[in-house]
Amino acid sequence: EPEVTQTPSHQVTQMGQEVILRCVPISNHLYFYWYRQILGQKVEFLVSFYNNEISEKSEIFDDQFSVERPDGSNFTLKIRSTKLEDSAMYFCASSPTRGGEKLFFGSGTQLSVL
Amino acid sequence: AQTVTQSQPEMSVQEAETVTLSCTYDTSESDYYLFWYKQPPSRQMILVIRQEAYKQQNATENRFSVNFQKAAKSFSLKISDSQLGDAAMYFCAYRSGDSGGGADGLTFGKGTHLIIQP
């Protein structure tokens, strides 16, 4: 079965630094998502992306966050100036449709901000 | 906006017994999907089972089955013959159908931590 691939699996950074989390969605999918999960808490929606633009974003997704699909295969999440509270597992997901049957998740990137 | 509620933060069951995890949701849509995801300590999100709202028949996947009560907006997960490998966080999730006008992506509940006692 095709997979969503995320790199790196772990990322450690200093507060105030920029980080880029990378994802390769499934090749024929059109909708892309980032979710995050702070340890011990529920999975929270950050942003959805379609047709090279953001289609929805949550309150969490403030000006420090941005997403990009630079080359037609990668889908990236950038955090401009990391804060301690950005420490979380970040999941990328993709889907062939906007709604419906299934979202395919990557295995996540654990971000630790020191 | 859709909401998903899991009222059991933690459940415990003896190995080989049956356990039911509760989930309720709130929506005004008629076209939607419901899911149960398992998250083991590795933290990967693993799809356990899914249910289309337009189907009356409850979904079943081996030892996992759901009790979907559309009018009550309830979607519980039953795990039969519990195994040690079932120990994990279980998240209930909602997604609008492709024709729906609701939120994009998935809305998750807070999760239920399932403990399997040997």
Side-chain angles (χ1 to χ4, degrees):
Chain A
E1 188 170 329
E3 289 184 344
V4 175
T5 305
Q6 287 187 246
T7 55
S9 56
H10 292 86
Q11 174 93 43
V12 180
T13 190
Q14 296 290 324
M15 190 169 58
Q17 295 295 304
E18 175 183 285
V19 294
I20 298 176
L21 309 183
R22 301 180 192 280
C23 170
V24 180
I26 294 170
S27 61
N28 63 343
H29 285 187
L30 301 176
Y31 295 83
F32 313 111
Y33 306 85
W34 284 101
Y35 289 81
R36 82 169 185 193
Q37 185 186 30
I38 295 170
L39 186 64
Q41 299 186 23
K42 72 173 179 178
V43 180
E44 300 173 292
F45 169 75
L46 289 179
V47 65
S48 59
F49 191 86
Y50 169 71
N51 200 25
N52 280 321
E53 60 183 27
I54 291 172
S55 52
E56 278 192 49
K57 59 183 181 179
S58 72
E59 296 175 347
I60 304 166
F61 194 88
D62 62 20
D63 292 344
Q64 292 299 313
F65 291 88
S66 62
V67 289
E68 195 177 38
R69 190 158 159 81
D71 56 12
S73 61
N74 290 286
F75 178 51
T76 61
L77 174 69
K78 182 194 292 187
I79 309 174
R80 270 182 260 285
S81 177
T82 50
K83 304 174 194 148
L84 296 177
E85 53 265 37
D86 294 328
S87 296
M89 179 73 92
Y90 288 81
F91 292 102
C92 174
S94 71
S95 174
T97 58
R98 179 189 180 278
E101 190 173 338
K102 193 172 178 181
L103 217 57
F104 291 76
F105 279 89
S107 54
T109 294
Q110 177 64 52
L111 176 65
S112 298
V113 182
L114 305 179
Chain B
Q2 293 80 23
T3 59
V4 177
T5 301
Q6 292 179 251
S7 58
Q8 305 153 316
E10 187 173 280
M11 291 284 285
S12 181
V13 64
Q14 290 288 129
E15 194 176 2
E17 297 293 305
T18 294
V19 64
T20 298
L21 308 184
S22 301
C23 173
T24 58
Y25 60 95
D26 189 25
T27 185
S28 58
E29 299 180 316
S30 58
D31 177 24
Y32 55 88
Y33 292 77
L34 296 163
F35 305 85
W36 279 97
Y37 280 88
K38 171 184 177 181
Q39 188 181 45
S42 67
R43 298 185 73 186
Q44 179 147 18
M45 298 295 286
I46 301 167
L47 179 65
V48 174
I49 199 166
R50 61 181 177 264
Q51 174 81 43
E52 297 92 332
Y54 62 85
K55 287 189 176 178
Q56 291 187 331
Q57 186 173 7
N58 289 322
T60 299
E61 289 284 344
N62 301 314
R63 298 183 294 107
F64 299 87
S65 61
V66 297
N67 183 4
F68 174 47
Q69 301 289 325
K70 190 171 184 179
K73 295 179 182 171
S74 170
F75 182 62
S76 60
L77 174 70
K78 186 171 85 170
I79 306 174
S80 304
D81 185 26
S82 300
Q83 299 175 1
L84 294 177
D86 295 333
M89 283 292 289
Y90 286 81
F91 292 95
C92 180
Y94 173 103
R95 192 177 192 205
S96 294
D98 201 30
S99 60
D104 208 346
L106 285 166
T107 301
F108 286 90
K110 290 187 176 181
T112 296
H113 181 211
L114 179 63
I115 298 167
I116 311 293
Q117 295 180 345

mmCIF file of all heavy atoms in Angstrom, chain B residues 19-48:
data_model
loop_
_atom_site.group_PDB
_atom_site.id
_atom_site.type_symbol
_atom_site.label_atom_id
_atom_site.label_comp_id
_atom_site.label_asym_id
_atom_site.label_seq_id
_atom_site.Cartn_x
_atom_site.Cartn_y
_atom_site.Cartn_z
ATOM 1 N N VAL B 19 -14.318 -5.446 25.296
ATOM 2 C CA VAL B 19 -14.392 -4.085 25.827
ATOM 3 C C VAL B 19 -15.053 -3.180 24.792
ATOM 4 O O VAL B 19 -14.907 -3.400 23.584
ATOM 5 C CB VAL B 19 -12.990 -3.567 26.196
ATOM 6 C CG1 VAL B 19 -12.085 -3.440 24.971
ATOM 7 C CG2 VAL B 19 -13.058 -2.239 26.944
ATOM 8 N N THR B 20 -15.782 -2.199 25.282
ATOM 9 C CA THR B 20 -16.443 -1.234 24.394
ATOM 10 C C THR B 20 -15.991 0.179 24.736
ATOM 11 O O THR B 20 -16.072 0.592 25.900
ATOM 12 C CB THR B 20 -17.969 -1.335 24.517
ATOM 13 O OG1 THR B 20 -18.380 -2.643 24.110
ATOM 14 C CG2 THR B 20 -18.651 -0.312 23.617
ATOM 15 N N LEU B 21 -15.529 0.884 23.737
ATOM 16 C CA LEU B 21 -15.105 2.277 23.892
ATOM 17 C C LEU B 21 -16.178 3.194 23.305
ATOM 18 O O LEU B 21 -16.663 2.962 22.208
ATOM 19 C CB LEU B 21 -13.773 2.513 23.165
ATOM 20 C CG LEU B 21 -12.628 1.555 23.479
ATOM 21 C CD1 LEU B 21 -11.358 1.979 22.767
ATOM 22 C CD2 LEU B 21 -12.407 1.417 24.967
ATOM 23 N N SER B 22 -16.512 4.227 24.042
ATOM 24 C CA SER B 22 -17.613 5.107 23.653
ATOM 25 C C SER B 22 -17.147 6.325 22.872
ATOM 26 O O SER B 22 -16.042 6.834 23.084
ATOM 27 C CB SER B 22 -18.347 5.587 24.903
ATOM 28 O OG SER B 22 -18.841 4.504 25.635
ATOM 29 N N CYS B 23 -18.026 6.780 21.989
ATOM 30 C CA CYS B 23 -17.757 8.003 21.232
ATOM 31 C C CYS B 23 -19.097 8.606 20.845
ATOM 32 O O CYS B 23 -19.994 7.890 20.367
ATOM 33 C CB CYS B 23 -16.944 7.693 19.987
ATOM 34 S SG CYS B 23 -16.719 9.104 18.854
ATOM 35 N N THR B 24 -19.244 9.884 21.064
ATOM 36 C CA THR B 24 -20.406 10.603 20.543
ATOM 37 C C THR B 24 -19.905 11.787 19.730
ATOM 38 O O THR B 24 -18.775 12.251 19.906
ATOM 39 C CB THR B 24 -21.335 11.100 21.655
ATOM 40 O OG1 THR B 24 -20.600 11.944 22.530
ATOM 41 C CG2 THR B 24 -21.932 9.940 22.440
ATOM 42 N N TYR B 25 -20.735 12.260 18.842
ATOM 43 C CA TYR B 25 -20.324 13.355 17.975
ATOM 44 C C TYR B 25 -21.504 14.276 17.741
ATOM 45 O O TYR B 25 -22.657 13.900 17.983
ATOM 46 C CB TYR B 25 -19.767 12.814 16.653
ATOM 47 C CG TYR B 25 -20.753 11.979 15.873
ATOM 48 C CD1 TYR B 25 -21.529 12.534 14.868
ATOM 49 C CD2 TYR B 25 -20.922 10.629 16.159
ATOM 50 C CE1 TYR B 25 -22.448 11.773 14.169
ATOM 51 C CE2 TYR B 25 -21.839 9.865 15.474
ATOM 52 C CZ TYR B 25 -22.597 10.433 14.484
ATOM 53 O OH TYR B 25 -23.516 9.676 13.811
ATOM 54 N N ASP B 26 -21.187 15.451 17.283
ATOM 55 C CA ASP B 26 -22.235 16.409 17.002
ATOM 56 C C ASP B 26 -22.018 16.964 15.602
ATOM 57 O O ASP B 26 -20.918 17.410 15.262
ATOM 58 C CB ASP B 26 -22.208 17.554 18.022
ATOM 59 C CG ASP B 26 -23.416 18.458 17.889
ATOM 60 O OD1 ASP B 26 -24.457 17.973 17.389
ATOM 61 O OD2 ASP B 26 -23.322 19.632 18.275
ATOM 62 N N THR B 27 -23.053 16.907 14.782
ATOM 63 C CA THR B 27 -22.975 17.432 13.431
ATOM 64 C C THR B 27 -24.371 17.735 12.915
ATOM 65 O O THR B 27 -25.347 17.131 13.366
ATOM 66 C CB THR B 27 -22.283 16.426 12.489
ATOM 67 O OG1 THR B 27 -22.122 17.008 11.202
ATOM 68 C CG2 THR B 27 -23.085 15.139 12.359
ATOM 69 N N SER B 28 -24.435 18.619 11.958
ATOM 70 C CA SER B 28 -25.691 18.890 11.265
ATOM 71 C C SER B 28 -25.661 18.297 9.857
ATOM 72 O O SER B 28 -26.635 18.421 9.117
ATOM 73 C CB SER B 28 -25.941 20.394 11.186
ATOM 74 O OG SER B 28 -24.867 21.031 10.527
ATOM 75 N N GLU B 29 -24.571 17.646 9.511
ATOM 76 C CA GLU B 29 -24.425 17.078 8.180
ATOM 77 C C GLU B 29 -25.079 15.706 8.095
ATOM 78 O O GLU B 29 -25.251 15.023 9.107
ATOM 79 C CB GLU B 29 -22.943 16.955 7.822
ATOM 80 C CG GLU B 29 -22.219 18.288 7.794
ATOM 81 C CD GLU B 29 -20.755 18.120 7.431
ATOM 82 O OE1 GLU B 29 -20.103 17.201 7.957
ATOM 83 O OE2 GLU B 29 -20.272 18.924 6.609
ATOM 84 N N SER B 30 -25.410 15.304 6.896
ATOM 85 C CA SER B 30 -25.953 13.959 6.689
ATOM 86 C C SER B 30 -24.935 13.053 5.999
ATOM 87 O O SER B 30 -25.046 11.833 6.079
ATOM 88 C CB SER B 30 -27.229 14.040 5.848
ATOM 89 O OG SER B 30 -26.951 14.661 4.606
ATOM 90 N N ASP B 31 -23.946 13.649 5.370
ATOM 91 C CA ASP B 31 -22.938 12.890 4.635
ATOM 92 C C ASP B 31 -21.614 13.007 5.379
ATOM 93 O O ASP B 31 -20.991 14.071 5.396
ATOM 94 C CB ASP B 31 -22.812 13.440 3.209
ATOM 95 C CG ASP B 31 -21.735 12.732 2.413
ATOM 96 O OD1 ASP B 31 -21.403 11.572 2.751
ATOM 97 O OD2 ASP B 31 -21.223 13.332 1.447
ATOM 98 N N TYR B 32 -21.196 11.914 6.003
ATOM 99 C CA TYR B 32 -19.951 11.971 6.769
ATOM 100 C C TYR B 32 -19.440 10.562 7.008
ATOM 101 O O TYR B 32 -20.113 9.560 6.715
ATOM 102 C CB TYR B 32 -20.141 12.714 8.103
ATOM 103 C CG TYR B 32 -21.231 12.179 8.992
ATOM 104 C CD1 TYR B 32 -20.978 11.161 9.918
ATOM 105 C CD2 TYR B 32 -22.525 12.702 8.925
ATOM 106 C CE1 TYR B 32 -21.976 10.687 10.741
ATOM 107 C CE2 TYR B 32 -23.533 12.227 9.745
ATOM 108 C CZ TYR B 32 -23.256 11.223 10.659
ATOM 109 O OH TYR B 32 -24.244 10.750 11.476
ATOM 110 N N TYR B 33 -18.220 10.496 7.515
ATOM 111 C CA TYR B 33 -17.578 9.235 7.844
ATOM 112 C C TYR B 33 -17.085 9.302 9.282
ATOM 113 O O TYR B 33 -16.704 10.368 9.770
ATOM 114 C CB TYR B 33 -16.381 8.978 6.917
ATOM 115 C CG TYR B 33 -16.755 8.711 5.483
ATOM 116 C CD1 TYR B 33 -17.132 9.752 4.638
ATOM 117 C CD2 TYR B 33 -16.747 7.425 4.970
ATOM 118 C CE1 TYR B 33 -17.483 9.517 3.323
ATOM 119 C CE2 TYR B 33 -17.088 7.182 3.644
ATOM 120 C CZ TYR B 33 -17.462 8.231 2.832
ATOM 121 O OH TYR B 33 -17.802 7.990 1.530
ATOM 122 N N LEU B 34 -17.062 8.156 9.904
ATOM 123 C CA LEU B 34 -16.545 8.049 11.269
ATOM 124 C C LEU B 34 -15.439 7.003 11.291
ATOM 125 O O LEU B 34 -15.504 6.005 10.552
ATOM 126 C CB LEU B 34 -17.664 7.653 12.236
ATOM 127 C CG LEU B 34 -18.790 8.690 12.368
ATOM 128 C CD1 LEU B 34 -20.010 8.057 13.002
ATOM 129 C CD2 LEU B 34 -18.317 9.885 13.177
ATOM 130 N N PHE B 35 -14.462 7.240 12.147
ATOM 131 C CA PHE B 35 -13.285 6.379 12.190
ATOM 132 C C PHE B 35 -12.881 6.112 13.634
ATOM 133 O O PHE B 35 -13.123 6.935 14.531
ATOM 134 C CB PHE B 35 -12.093 7.076 11.510
ATOM 135 C CG PHE B 35 -12.351 7.540 10.103
ATOM 136 C CD1 PHE B 35 -12.951 8.761 9.864
ATOM 137 C CD2 PHE B 35 -11.991 6.752 9.023
ATOM 138 C CE1 PHE B 35 -13.188 9.208 8.568
ATOM 139 C CE2 PHE B 35 -12.222 7.187 7.723
ATOM 140 C CZ PHE B 35 -12.822 8.408 7.504
ATOM 141 N N TRP B 36 -12.238 4.971 13.811
ATOM 142 C CA TRP B 36 -11.470 4.722 15.013
ATOM 143 C C TRP B 36 -10.021 4.517 14.597
ATOM 144 O O TRP B 36 -9.731 3.697 13.712
ATOM 145 C CB TRP B 36 -11.971 3.478 15.753
ATOM 146 C CG TRP B 36 -13.181 3.746 16.588
ATOM 147 C CD1 TRP B 36 -14.483 3.527 16.248
ATOM 148 C CD2 TRP B 36 -13.195 4.282 17.908
ATOM 149 N NE1 TRP B 36 -15.314 3.890 17.273
ATOM 150 C CE2 TRP B 36 -14.550 4.353 18.318
ATOM 151 C CE3 TRP B 36 -12.207 4.697 18.810
ATOM 152 C CZ2 TRP B 36 -14.931 4.828 19.572
ATOM 153 C CZ3 TRP B 36 -12.590 5.164 20.054
ATOM 154 C CH2 TRP B 36 -13.941 5.227 20.422
ATOM 155 N N TYR B 37 -9.144 5.292 15.247
ATOM 156 C CA TYR B 37 -7.713 5.159 15.035
ATOM 157 C C TYR B 37 -7.076 4.635 16.316
ATOM 158 O O TYR B 37 -7.449 5.020 17.425
ATOM 159 C CB TYR B 37 -7.072 6.507 14.681
ATOM 160 C CG TYR B 37 -7.232 6.914 13.247
ATOM 161 C CD1 TYR B 37 -8.352 7.624 12.825
ATOM 162 C CD2 TYR B 37 -6.265 6.601 12.298
ATOM 163 C CE1 TYR B 37 -8.504 8.004 11.506
ATOM 164 C CE2 TYR B 37 -6.407 6.977 10.974
ATOM 165 C CZ TYR B 37 -7.528 7.680 10.585
ATOM 166 O OH TYR B 37 -7.674 8.055 9.268
ATOM 167 N N LYS B 38 -6.080 3.797 16.118
ATOM 168 C CA LYS B 38 -5.286 3.266 17.228
ATOM 169 C C LYS B 38 -3.927 3.951 17.199
ATOM 170 O O LYS B 38 -3.326 4.106 16.121
ATOM 171 C CB LYS B 38 -5.123 1.750 17.046
ATOM 172 C CG LYS B 38 -4.167 1.077 17.987
ATOM 173 C CD LYS B 38 -4.037 -0.402 17.618
ATOM 174 C CE LYS B 38 -3.037 -1.115 18.498
ATOM 175 N NZ LYS B 38 -2.898 -2.536 18.131
ATOM 176 N N GLN B 39 -3.460 4.348 18.377
ATOM 177 C CA GLN B 39 -2.133 4.942 18.467
ATOM 178 C C GLN B 39 -1.333 4.212 19.527
ATOM 179 O O GLN B 39 -1.483 4.456 20.716
ATOM 180 C CB GLN B 39 -2.218 6.439 18.776
ATOM 181 C CG GLN B 39 -0.861 7.134 18.676
ATOM 182 C CD GLN B 39 -0.923 8.603 19.006
ATOM 183 O OE1 GLN B 39 -1.552 9.015 19.976
ATOM 184 N NE2 GLN B 39 -0.256 9.425 18.196
ATOM 185 N N PRO B 40 -0.472 3.287 19.119
ATOM 186 C CA PRO B 40 0.377 2.566 20.082
ATOM 187 C C PRO B 40 1.485 3.483 20.590
ATOM 188 O O PRO B 40 1.572 4.640 20.155
ATOM 189 C CB PRO B 40 0.933 1.417 19.240
ATOM 190 C CG PRO B 40 0.876 1.900 17.827
ATOM 191 C CD PRO B 40 -0.278 2.848 17.743
ATOM 192 N N PRO B 41 2.341 2.992 21.474
ATOM 193 C CA PRO B 41 3.425 3.838 21.995
ATOM 194 C C PRO B 41 4.331 4.425 20.916
ATOM 195 O O PRO B 41 4.941 5.465 21.125
ATOM 196 C CB PRO B 41 4.191 2.876 22.912
ATOM 197 C CG PRO B 41 3.142 1.931 23.392
ATOM 198 C CD PRO B 41 2.228 1.727 22.222
ATOM 199 N N SER B 42 4.424 3.780 19.768
ATOM 200 C CA SER B 42 5.206 4.348 18.659
ATOM 201 C C SER B 42 4.607 5.649 18.131
ATOM 202 O O SER B 42 5.264 6.390 17.399
ATOM 203 C CB SER B 42 5.280 3.345 17.501
ATOM 204 O OG SER B 42 3.992 3.169 16.925
ATOM 205 N N ARG B 43 3.360 5.915 18.477
ATOM 206 C CA ARG B 43 2.615 7.134 18.135
ATOM 207 C C ARG B 43 2.184 7.217 16.682
ATOM 208 O O ARG B 43 1.676 8.243 16.252
ATOM 209 C CB ARG B 43 3.360 8.394 18.580
ATOM 210 C CG ARG B 43 3.548 8.426 20.090
ATOM 211 C CD ARG B 43 4.161 9.708 20.578
ATOM 212 N NE ARG B 43 3.213 10.808 20.511
ATOM 213 C CZ ARG B 43 3.551 12.065 20.775
ATOM 214 N NH1 ARG B 43 4.781 12.373 21.106
ATOM 215 N NH2 ARG B 43 2.639 13.021 20.689
ATOM 216 N N GLN B 44 2.354 6.162 15.933
ATOM 217 C CA GLN B 44 1.808 6.158 14.578
ATOM 218 C C GLN B 44 0.291 6.037 14.642
ATOM 219 O O GLN B 44 -0.248 5.367 15.518
ATOM 220 C CB GLN B 44 2.371 4.990 13.778
ATOM 221 C CG GLN B 44 1.829 4.920 12.365
ATOM 222 C CD GLN B 44 2.831 4.382 11.374
ATOM 223 O OE1 GLN B 44 3.806 3.758 11.767
ATOM 224 N NE2 GLN B 44 2.609 4.606 10.098
ATOM 225 N N MET B 45 -0.403 6.691 13.746
ATOM 226 C CA MET B 45 -1.861 6.639 13.690
ATOM 227 C C MET B 45 -2.262 5.491 12.759
ATOM 228 O O MET B 45 -1.976 5.525 11.562
ATOM 229 C CB MET B 45 -2.437 7.950 13.169
ATOM 230 C CG MET B 45 -2.134 9.150 14.049
ATOM 231 S SD MET B 45 -2.908 9.027 15.661
ATOM 232 C CE MET B 45 -4.611 9.362 15.247
ATOM 233 N N ILE B 46 -2.937 4.508 13.322
ATOM 234 C CA ILE B 46 -3.316 3.314 12.565
ATOM 235 C C ILE B 46 -4.830 3.248 12.480
ATOM 236 O O ILE B 46 -5.515 3.243 13.505
ATOM 237 C CB ILE B 46 -2.774 2.043 13.257
ATOM 238 C CG1 ILE B 46 -1.251 2.113 13.380
ATOM 239 C CG2 ILE B 46 -3.203 0.792 12.495
ATOM 240 C CD1 ILE B 46 -0.665 1.077 14.321
ATOM 241 N N LEU B 47 -5.346 3.194 11.274
ATOM 242 C CA LEU B 47 -6.791 3.104 11.095
ATOM 243 C C LEU B 47 -7.276 1.720 11.517
ATOM 244 O O LEU B 47 -6.779 0.716 11.042
ATOM 245 C CB LEU B 47 -7.166 3.368 9.642
ATOM 246 C CG LEU B 47 -8.651 3.288 9.313
ATOM 247 C CD1 LEU B 47 -9.424 4.385 10.040
ATOM 248 C CD2 LEU B 47 -8.870 3.396 7.812
ATOM 249 N N VAL B 48 -8.245 1.695 12.417
ATOM 250 C CA VAL B 48 -8.806 0.434 12.904
ATOM 251 C C VAL B 48 -10.048 0.065 12.108
ATOM 252 O O VAL B 48 -10.189 -1.067 11.632
ATOM 253 C CB VAL B 48 -9.163 0.544 14.399
ATOM 254 C CG1 VAL B 48 -9.887 -0.711 14.881
ATOM 255 C CG2 VAL B 48 -7.906 0.802 15.229
#
